[in-house]
Amino acid sequence: MRRQAERVYSIIEVARQGGRWGYSDINFSARRPDGPPEPGAGPGWRQVSPVPVAGSGLAAAGAADDRRRVYYQEQDRSLVGTAYEPSSPDGRWTGYRVLTRETGAPVAGAGAAVAVTGRIGALRVYYLDSGPGEEGRHPVRLAERGEEWTYSACAGAPHGSPISPLAAVTTERGEFAYYLDAPGRLIEASWLGEAGWSVRDLTSGVDGCPAASPLSRLTAVGCGTDSRLVYFLDEDNRPVQLAHTVVPATKKRPEGDAEWRVLRLSAYGAPAAAAGSPPAVVLSPEGHPRLYYLDADRTVVEVGFNGRGWEVHRAGTEADDGAGAPAAAGGSSLAAVPDGDGSAVQVFYLGAAGPDEGPDGCDHHLIELRGAGRGWRSRDLGAELDLPTVATGVPSPFAAIRTSGPRVYYTSEE
């Protein structure tokens, strides 16, 4: 494990390949440089990309051929994109681009979330920009076309809250970003290509849409022609699904239609979430959503649609033949990816310290919870791999993707 003379933040990738789990640091290389080590990097280590700032947003994208990208904010809150190319001579993180400087885009706001959507070669990265009062916290879209990046800021959108979450999806009909504005309303910022931006207040504009908790996180998924699912917590910390559905054309309405529908998942037995619990959603092979979040006891809950109705499973409580998976640490992030064939899901979170551990005992407890329905198994990857310390004291988001296997990313302060 790398030891620093001074605490330096870096991003850790934990991955399963060839049947084995391992980890690597994407900001520092273990290969000894030709010259002496850089100051503060430790013997045999050299910095290969800008280090993240404390509280940086984090987003990742991957492809089946094992290409992957990670996006975060460096020390001056410029947005950085790092790249892994399996075709490189030694298969490693091959470089980085400071996208805000390259495109002239504004830097991210302090603690701004980052979201990515699309496919490699045509990725879209969203964040909320910086600026005092009325001048900041607008959505910014960075667009990839081959090797070129451009940006567009949605200057006319409502200002995001200082701690606003962010989610983004792409469908056949467009690109959509979701965030909470300063009064706590759920905002949709749509990119319309040559026509520019369109902005809608979903809290006020969709019948029956409840107000979001001021601490609510967001997650979203898009598929097909224009199906979009957005999840958030209401003021009682109960999960809500906001679904954009395309209504097929008929003889009377040959142009078809589209509408938003609100679904309160508590009506199907979904328990209240821990305040501020970050939700995660994946789609089953049939295209049905499975939502994951932490309940008031900080154990993982699965709420899934099976094609006929909704099922609720206390995954964390039921795991390990009823022994239960470790509870999550306070303020833990959460991320999820489907298994290779989509029949199971892997959920990642930060486990709480055990009774015999010190005050920072939870720092090494990255937990994997794998399964679906009533069959779940947990694994303490932090202890098993002796992982670098997870950043604490500031929000430390997780990002998870699947390429040749599951991969989860977090910010370390070691």
Side-chain angles (χ1 to χ4, degrees), residues 8-31:
V8 175
Y9 291 95
S10 62
I11 295 173
I12 303 300
E13 176 190 65
V14 185
R16 188 173 189 270
Q17 288 184 288
R20 299 180 61 183
W21 284 95
Y23 75 91
S24 60
D25 187 322
I26 74 171
N27 299 112
F28 289 85
S29 171
R31 294 180 179 277

Side-chain angles (χ1 to χ4, degrees), residues 157-158 177-181 185-189 199-203:
Y178 301 92
Y179 67 99
L180 298 178
D181 70 2
R185 298 170 299 192
L186 179 60
I187 304 298
E188 177 188 64
V199 178
R200 185 176 183 185
D201 171 359
L202 297 179
T203 302

Side-chain angles (χ1 to χ4, degrees), residues 231 241 265 268 270 281-282 284 288-293 301-313 373:
Y231 297 89
Q241 174 185 274
L265 296 176
Y268 301 92
V281 63
V282 301
S284 71
H288 302 317
R290 295 172 179 167
L291 178 69
Y292 301 91
Y293 64 92
V301 175
E302 176 190 58
V303 185
F305 187 72
N306 61 17
R308 301 176 302 278
W310 290 86
E311 296 180 336
V312 178
H313 295 283

Side-chain angles (χ1 to χ4, degrees), residues 36-212:
E38 296 182 10
W45 290 89
R46 62 187 177 98
Q47 186 174 331
V48 295
S49 59
V51 297
V53 67
S56 170
L58 183 63
D65 63 4
D66 218 21
R67 289 177 296 160
R68 44 202 191 265
R69 306 289 187 265
V70 176
Y71 300 94
Y72 61 93
Q73 294 125 29
E74 65 167 320
Q75 298 296 306
D76 66 358
R77 289 186 271 114
S78 296
L79 199 76
V80 175
T82 59
Y84 181 96
E85 294 291 343
S87 59
S88 66
D90 51 0
R92 59 185 178 85
W93 294 90
T94 55
Y96 67 90
R97 299 171 74 165
V98 183
L99 298 176
T100 43
R101 295 180 199 161
E102 184 177 317
T103 62
V107 299
V114 179
V116 61
T117 183
R119 56 180 176 78
I120 292 179
L123 291 173
R124 305 294 183 258
V125 180
Y126 289 86
Y127 63 95
L128 299 180
D129 67 13
S130 178
E134 296 299 308
E135 298 179 12
R137 302 196 302 277
H138 295 110
V140 177
R141 169 186 179 267
L142 289 164
E144 178 189 35
R145 181 176 294 178
E147 292 296 316
E148 182 181 0
W149 285 84
T150 58
Y151 91 93
S152 176
C154 188
H159 309 287
S161 77
I163 59 171
S164 177
L166 188 64
V169 302
T170 298
T171 69
E172 294 174 6
R173 290 190 178 174
E175 304 167 24
F176 309 88
Y178 301 92
Y179 67 99
L180 298 178
D181 70 2
R185 298 170 299 192
L186 179 60
I187 304 298
E188 177 188 64
S190 310
W191 175 254
L192 304 177
E194 293 183 0
W197 293 91
S198 174
V199 178
R200 185 176 183 185
D201 171 359
L202 297 179
T203 302
S204 303
V206 176
D207 290 342
C209 184

Side-chain angles (χ1 to χ4, degrees), residues 249-256:
T250 64
K251 289 182 180 180
K252 291 185 178 180
R253 304 182 70 176
E255 71 283 1

Side-chain angles (χ1 to χ4, degrees), residues 230-242:
V230 184
Y231 297 89
F232 63 94
L233 301 180
D234 67 15
E235 292 179 308
D236 294 320
N237 292 317
R238 297 191 177 275
V240 177
Q241 174 185 274
L242 197 56

